[in-house]
């Protein structure tokens, strides 16, 4: 029998060229896999902002003048860190770390030795050092000294992930060499750099747990905690990468189990797995061609492509196995493909447009993830209608006439759905609307009654609460008070930044910043002059009269030649730039905005009182500012991308559905699932982060497949039997595929629950629940809505 339509003729041509198609994919897939392996990883939180953002541009311009290296802080914890034995071990640890190539080390002992070169960690020296540390708040504010710890700040160049991890491993080895602290390695988490800190905001660390044994003979060292920005980046890169490694085997097992259970054919399973693997490899490899990087949410790209492809393959193969009597396999194959072309294509276009809508986000990984996923879904559509049919024909996958499909339980349940949904139609529809309204209120809040859902971009949100690093971070916060850092960039007339009057103005500005509520420390160019004065026994404040200040600051330009750290605060090249590093307790976006306003007011007051600063400009830059901006962008990203996704999907529905009411009702299950999911997140204390804000777009972009297939077959159902007959037909033709595809997809996302990276774990768990809610609405609220709109009744008897 000849093909009846142009579509069938096109598929006949594809099947005739199946050998060439298989050879082509045999070349493309390995090349794509190789390209995927070369994609770089970027785990830093500062990479969340798109490069065109003005604050991002300003921060990078600042960093070209004041290059920011990497900094970690070693917190040596002891009941009395000033015991001579403990000081001897800390001194030995500093020497071991200093021997690591490229590192610079600063500690309380280093500063003290500048004034006392002959210092020895004996009883008398320990007593003098204790008194020296207690005479100023500087060392406590910088995390270099506390009641039960002393800190060692370690800096090293920013030379890429491999060099960073090698340096971190060397530091960890030096720490493990402390007797009693031992070889037990902790996990990486979040923390904060110390004196001369050049790390970004939201730093992370390694917690080396020490056990009950003490370090050395009577040294009293209990444990050594290592905290710093490079470690959170390394931890995020490792854990976000491992998420896929843990998830793929689990998802593969579910695909194998359900495919074998449903189709009872090894050949069908092989065809599905090969097509699925090809789609994912091409999708991930496309990211390399587009210049994307693996980020904190990039693990969602292969996941989303995989679950969407699985759904399309299940739809195609379920229609393929439903071979009617009187048609040869060749003719039925063409008609099955032609029958599914419109709904699969429409759902793919809707999903592509939906994820492409994430391009509106100002958060770089989310923007890239949306575009990357959109390209991947387009490639998966190509695989579904070229490679998969070729595999079906080549492997001679059986239809239901040869191997019966297991669907007895589903068939019994589906037979009851039309009557059940008619009887309870009002309860089902009104209940779904009530839950949806509650979810909307939980997400956006009700002014004066309910606050919007909490937005989380704290570094703690990216670290597993069960890891030792979480305890290290909590310890650091309890001792020092916070870990967010902002840079205050002051630009003056070229050649004037080292003038005594300008420096005096900067010193007053630094003191004004330190007085701002929530500020833990402010380190600027004159901090070094204060320390020098303190070392000379003259206190840690500079004289404020012109003559006295000029005498104290007269040799700054000579100091710039000898003191490397000072060059991190004054621009040697032009003598027109200075920076002040401010550590503060964030309080999220609101806290940063309050700090920004307070610093601006302090600057205005200082300039008004100090003529030397008139004409100078001040700007806040740095990674903490970018992190706060990410928090401010989360809700707009959610609302804008969701609105745009919904609009684009609705436009796709215009192509598929003739009925205006059908276009609206088709979105009921997805919208219900999304809003009910946010209600559950709010009730169980969930927050919005860079992963969970993608729930709405992901659920809407993937579950709309079900509604498109549902309404496509509802429209082609035989007329004359009323809505009841149409529902029976639709549930028989597409219902099985909806149920099984949803179970596979939910299982796939649930596999992310095994990740130790909290954002992905939360995203996987919540999205799996949303898929199941959408399927529940497909079989309850959606038919209930149809009964109400159509005003039809089941036929008696």
């Amino acid at each position: 029998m000849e093909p009846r339509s142009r579509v069938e003729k096109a598929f006949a041509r594809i099947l005739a060229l199946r050998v060439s198609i298989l050879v082509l994919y045999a070349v493309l897939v390995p090349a794509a896999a190789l390209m995927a392996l070369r994609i770089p990883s970027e785990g830093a939180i500062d990479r969340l902002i798109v490069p065109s953002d003005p604050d991002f541009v300003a921060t990078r311009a600042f960093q070209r003048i004041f290059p920011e290296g990497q900094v970690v802080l070693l917190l040596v914890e002891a009941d009395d860190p000033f015991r001579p034995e403990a000081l001897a071990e800390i001194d030995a640890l500093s020497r071991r770390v200093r021997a690591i190539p490229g590192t610079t080390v600063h500690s309380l002992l280093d500063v003290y030795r500048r004034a006392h070169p002959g210092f020895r960690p004996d009883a008398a020296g320990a007593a003098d050092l204790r008194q020296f540390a207690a005479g100023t708040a500087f060392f406590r504010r910088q995390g270099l000294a506390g009641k039960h710890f002393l800190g060692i700040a370690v800096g090293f160049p920013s030379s890429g992930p491999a060099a960073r991890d090698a340096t971190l491993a060397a530091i960890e080895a030096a720490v493990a060499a402390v007797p009693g602290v031992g070889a037990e390695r902790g996990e990486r988490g979040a923390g904060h750099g110390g004196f001369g800190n050049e790390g970004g905001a939201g730093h992370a660390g390694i917690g080396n747990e020490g056990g009950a044994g003490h370090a050395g003979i009577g040294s009293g060292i209990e444990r050594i905690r290592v905290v710093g920005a490079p470690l959170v980046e390394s931890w995020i890169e490792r854990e976000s990468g491992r998420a896929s490694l843990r998830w793929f085997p689990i998802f593969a097992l579910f695909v194998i189990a359900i495919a074998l259970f449903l189709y009872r054919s090894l050949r069908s399973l092989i065809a599905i797995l090969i097509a699925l693997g090809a789609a994912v490899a091409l999708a991930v490899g496309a990211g390399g061609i587009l210049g994307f990087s693996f980020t904190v949410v990039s693990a969602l790209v292969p996941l989303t492509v995989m679950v969407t492809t699985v759904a399309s393959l299940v739809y195609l193969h379920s229609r393929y196995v439903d071979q009617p009597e009187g048609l040869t396999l060749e003719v039925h194959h063409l008609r099955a493909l032609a029958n599914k072309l419109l709904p699969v294509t429409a759902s793919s276009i809707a999903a592509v447009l939906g994820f492409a809508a994430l391009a509106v986000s100002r958060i770089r990984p989310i923007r890239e993830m949306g575009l990357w996923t959109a390209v991947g879904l387009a490639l998966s559509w190509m695989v579904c209608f070229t490679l998969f049919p070729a595999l079906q024909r080549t492997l001679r996958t059986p239809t239901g006439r040869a191997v019966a499909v297991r669907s007895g339980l589903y068939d019994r349940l589906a037979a009851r759905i039309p009557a059940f949904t008619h009887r309870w139609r009002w309860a089902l529809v009104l209940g779904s609307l009530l839950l949806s309204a509650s979810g909307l209120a939980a997400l956006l809040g009700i002014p004066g009654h309910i606050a919007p859902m909490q937005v989380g971009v704290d570094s703690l949100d990216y670290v597993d609460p069960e890891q030792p690093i979480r305890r290290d971070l909590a310890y650091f916060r309890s001792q020092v008070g916070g870990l967010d850092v902002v840079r205050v960039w002051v630009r003056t007339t070229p050649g004037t930044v080292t003038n005594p009057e300008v420096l005096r103005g900067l010193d007053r500005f630094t003191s004004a910043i330190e007085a701002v509520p929530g500020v833990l420390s402010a380190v600027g160019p004159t901090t070094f002059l204060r320390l020098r004065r303190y070392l000379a026994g003259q206190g840690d404040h500079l004289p404020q009269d012109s003559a006295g200040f000029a005498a104290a600051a007269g040799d700054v330009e000579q100091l710039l030649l000898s003191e490397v750290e000072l060059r991190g605060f004054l621009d040697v090249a032009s003598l027109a730039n200075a920076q002040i590093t401010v550590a503060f307790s964030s309080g999220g976006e609101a806290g940063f905005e309050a700090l920004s306003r307070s610093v601006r007011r302090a600057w205005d007051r200082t300039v008004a009182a100090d003529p030397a600063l008139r004409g100078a400009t001040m700007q806040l830059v740095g990674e903490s500012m970018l992190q706060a901006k990410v928090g401010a962008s989360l809700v707009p990203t959610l609302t804008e991308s969701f609105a745009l996704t919904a609009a684009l999907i609705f436009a796709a529905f215009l192509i598929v559905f003739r009925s205006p009411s059908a276009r609206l009702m088709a979105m009921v299950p997805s919208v219900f699932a999304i809003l009910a999911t946010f209600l559950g997140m709010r009730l169980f204390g969930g927050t919005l982060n860079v992963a969970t804000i993608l729930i709405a777009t992901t659920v809407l972009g993937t579950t709309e497949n079900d509604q498109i297939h549902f309404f496509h077959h509802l429209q082609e159902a035989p007329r004359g039997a009323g809505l009841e007959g149409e529902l029976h037909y639709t549930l028989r033709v597409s219902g099985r595929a909806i149920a099984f595809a949803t179970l596979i997809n939910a299982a796939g996302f649930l596999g992310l629950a095994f990740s130790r990276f909290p954002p992905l774990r939360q995203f996987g768990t919540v999205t799996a629940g949303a898929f199941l809610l959408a399927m529940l609405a497909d079989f309850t609220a959606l038919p209930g809505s149809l009964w109400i709109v159509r005003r039809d009744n089941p036929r008696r008897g």
Side-chain angles (χ1 to χ4, degrees):
M1 187 180 297
E2 292 294 326
R4 299 180 302 179
S5 65
R6 292 181 179 178
V7 173
E8 290 184 12
K9 290 178 181 178
F11 282 119
R13 183 63 177 166
I14 289 173
L15 292 175
L17 295 173
R18 58 186 178 274
V19 175
S20 300
I21 290 173
L22 294 175
V23 171
L24 177 62
Y25 277 97
V27 174
L28 291 177
V29 171
L34 183 61
M35 179 68 71
L37 294 175
R38 296 178 177 177
I39 297 176
S41 296
E42 292 183 353
I45 303 300
D46 65 288
R47 306 299 197 273
L48 297 177
I49 292 290
V50 294
S52 60
D53 181 86
D55 292 322
F56 183 92
V57 172
T59 296
R60 291 298 175 261
F62 168 84
Q63 291 170 344
R64 284 191 290 272
I65 299 171
F66 299 107
E68 293 183 288
Q70 307 275 2
V71 172
V72 295
L73 185 65
L74 281 61
L75 302 178
V76 184
E77 188 180 351
D79 183 59
D80 180 9
F82 289 95
R83 286 180 62 176
E85 297 84 359
L87 290 176
E89 290 292 352
I90 293 171
D91 204 20
L93 174 60
S94 296
R95 289 195 299 271
R96 286 195 298 273
V97 174
R98 193 175 280 111
I100 299 172
T103 60
T104 57
V105 178
H106 303 282
S107 68
L108 174 64
L109 277 70
D110 294 324
V111 176
Y112 187 68
R113 278 198 172 107
R114 293 195 174 200
H116 305 84
F119 168 78
R120 296 177 61 84
D122 53 21
D128 292 340
L129 182 65
R130 187 193 301 270
Q131 183 178 4
F132 173 78
T136 179
F138 174 81
F139 302 110
R140 176 184 56 80
R141 288 177 172 177
Q142 292 301 307
L144 295 181
K147 184 177 181 181
H148 296 295
F149 74 89
L150 290 180
I152 302 172
V154 184
F156 53 94
S158 299
S159 303
R164 175 202 63 202
D165 291 345
T167 302
L168 294 178
I171 293 173
E172 188 177 356
V175 169
V178 176
V181 172
E184 181 181 351
R185 295 184 178 183
E187 292 292 334
R188 291 171 181 162
H192 169 67
F195 176 73
N197 176 11
E198 295 178 349
H203 303 326
I206 300 175
N208 294 283
E209 294 287 330
H214 288 226
I217 301 175
S219 71
I221 294 178
E222 299 171 359
R223 63 177 59 84
I224 299 176
R225 309 174 191 267
V226 186
V227 294
L231 297 159
V232 71
E233 298 174 10
S234 180
W235 192 88
I236 288 175
E237 288 173 10
R238 186 176 70 254
E239 292 304 321
S240 59
R242 286 179 178 176
S244 297
L245 296 178
R246 292 190 180 102
W247 164 78
F248 273 114
I250 298 170
F251 184 77
L253 288 176
F254 273 101
V255 171
I256 292 170
I258 293 181
L260 285 177
F261 173 81
L262 181 60
Y263 302 121
R264 304 171 63 188
S265 167
L266 183 61
R267 285 174 288 169
S268 297
L269 174 63
I270 292 173
I272 291 173
L273 291 179
I274 292 176
L276 187 59
V280 173
L282 292 174
V284 177
I289 298 175
L290 296 171
F292 294 153
S293 302
F294 287 124
T295 62
V296 292
V297 294
S298 59
L300 302 180
V301 174
L303 172 61
T304 305
V305 171
M306 184 171 285
V307 297
T308 306
T309 305
V310 165
S312 296
L313 294 175
V314 170
Y315 288 129
L316 289 171
H317 202 65
S318 294
R319 194 63 171 141
Y320 168 81
V321 299
D322 191 16
Q323 181 183 0
E325 296 291 339
L327 281 182
T328 64
L329 179 58
E330 289 75 12
V331 173
H332 167 67
H333 195 184
L334 296 178
R335 292 185 180 178
L337 290 170
N339 179 257
K340 279 298 183 181
L341 178 62
L342 177 60
V344 171
T345 301
S347 61
S348 296
I349 291 174
V352 166
L353 294 176
F355 280 99
L358 290 173
V360 302
S361 175
R362 291 179 290 275
I363 303 175
R364 176 187 160 192
I366 292 176
R367 174 185 289 188
E368 290 186 357
M369 180 265 181
L371 296 174
W372 193 348
T373 304
V375 172
L377 292 176
L379 292 172
S380 74
W381 176 89
M382 180 183 68
V383 169
C384 288
F385 285 109
T386 56
L387 178 61
F388 187 58
L391 288 169
Q392 287 177 311
R393 179 62 61 88
T394 302
L395 295 174
R396 299 183 181 276
T397 54
T399 66
R401 286 169 56 178
V403 179
V405 177
R406 283 197 180 100
S407 59
L409 176 61
Y410 169 80
D411 291 340
R412 289 192 295 273
L413 292 174
R416 299 170 182 246
I417 287 176
F420 173 82
T421 54
H422 174 266
R423 180 179 181 182
W424 300 101
R425 58 192 182 280
W426 288 106
L428 293 171
V429 173
L430 294 178
S432 64
L433 292 176
L434 178 61
L435 287 174
S436 298
S438 301
L440 187 63
L443 174 64
L444 302 179
I446 299 176
H449 299 280
I450 301 175
M453 187 176 291
Q454 182 180 354
V455 175
V457 291
D458 193 310
S459 54
L460 277 176
D461 297 332
Y462 299 92
V463 181
D464 192 333
E466 301 300 322
Q467 299 303 312
I469 55 171
R470 192 70 174 255
R471 295 193 294 270
D472 291 345
L473 178 56
Y475 176 84
F476 181 85
R477 286 183 167 177
S478 69
Q479 297 298 314
V480 181
L483 29 99
D484 288 295
V485 175
V486 69
R487 316 290 179 170
V488 182
W489 183 10
V490 178
R491 282 168 281 193
T492 67
T493 303
T496 63
V497 77
T498 55
N499 290 350
E501 289 301 311
V502 174
L503 288 173
R504 185 172 66 157
L506 291 175
D507 186 65
R508 291 173 176 173
F509 182 42
T510 303
S511 298
I513 293 174
E514 286 181 327
V516 171
V519 170
L520 305 172
S521 67
V523 179
T526 59
T527 302
F528 297 87
L529 302 178
R530 294 184 188 185
L531 275 177
R532 185 174 64 172
R533 190 175 178 83
Y534 180 69
L535 288 169
Q538 298 175 317
D540 60 357
H541 288 81
L542 295 168
Q544 291 302 302
D545 61 284
S546 296
F549 193 95
D555 60 345
V556 167
E557 293 189 8
Q558 286 74 26
L559 286 175
L560 280 171
L561 299 177
S562 59
E563 300 293 338
V564 177
E565 293 81 9
L566 182 57
R567 294 200 290 270
F569 294 86
L570 290 174
D571 174 24
V572 180
S574 66
L575 297 181
N577 296 276
Q579 71 109 344
I580 302 170
T581 298
V582 181
F584 66 102
S585 299
S586 170
E589 178 195 355
F592 180 83
E593 290 297 329
L595 173 72
S596 180
R597 290 191 297 269
S598 297
V599 171
R600 173 57 62 182
R601 287 194 294 267
W603 171 257
D604 291 339
R605 290 195 301 268
T606 304
V607 171
D610 205 318
L613 290 180
R614 292 173 188 172
T617 61
M618 186 275 297
Q619 183 177 11
L620 269 64
V621 295
E623 318 315 13
S624 280
M625 182 191 64
L626 299 181
Q627 188 175 0
K629 197 159 191 175
V630 169
S633 301
L634 288 179
V635 172
T637 290
L638 172 63
T639 55
E640 292 170 7
S641 63
F642 178 74
L644 186 54
T645 300
L648 291 172
I649 290 177
F650 183 76
F653 287 173
L654 295 176
I655 303 172
V656 183
F657 308 140
R658 295 185 296 269
S659 168
S661 60
R663 297 165 188 164
L664 292 175
M665 286 188 294
M667 303 187 72
V668 168
S670 296
V671 173
F672 160 75
I674 292 166
L675 295 178
T677 297
F678 283 125
L679 175 61
M681 287 178 61
R682 185 65 182 267
L683 293 176
F684 289 98
T687 61
L688 294 175
N689 55 46
V690 293
T692 55
I693 62 166
L694 297 173
I695 290 173
T697 298
T698 302
V699 172
L700 187 58
T702 52
T703 59
E704 46 77 30
N705 293 353
D706 301 338
Q707 288 92 61
I708 287 180
H709 287 272
F710 186 97
F711 274 94
H712 174 72
H713 293 292
L714 186 73
Q715 291 178 167
E716 72 174 13
R719 295 295 180 256
L723 180 59
E724 182 181 21
E726 295 171 16
L727 287 174
H728 279 299
Y729 174 84
T730 302
L731 292 170
R732 182 184 68 80
V733 174
S734 66
R736 294 192 199 100
I738 291 174
F740 285 104
T742 300
L743 292 175
I744 293 175
N745 291 347
F749 277 89
L750 193 59
L752 289 175
F754 293 89
S755 172
R756 290 193 301 179
F757 189 41
L760 290 184
R761 185 171 62 222
Q762 296 164 12
F763 175 84
T765 304
V766 173
T767 304
F771 282 151
L772 296 176
L773 287 173
M775 181 181 69
L776 179 65
D778 285 335
F779 294 130
T780 56
L782 183 54
S785 301
L786 287 169
W787 284 116
I788 293 173
V789 172
R790 296 271 290 269
R791 298 182 181 181
D792 202 349
N793 291 297
R795 296 196 174 189
R796 302 297 180 185

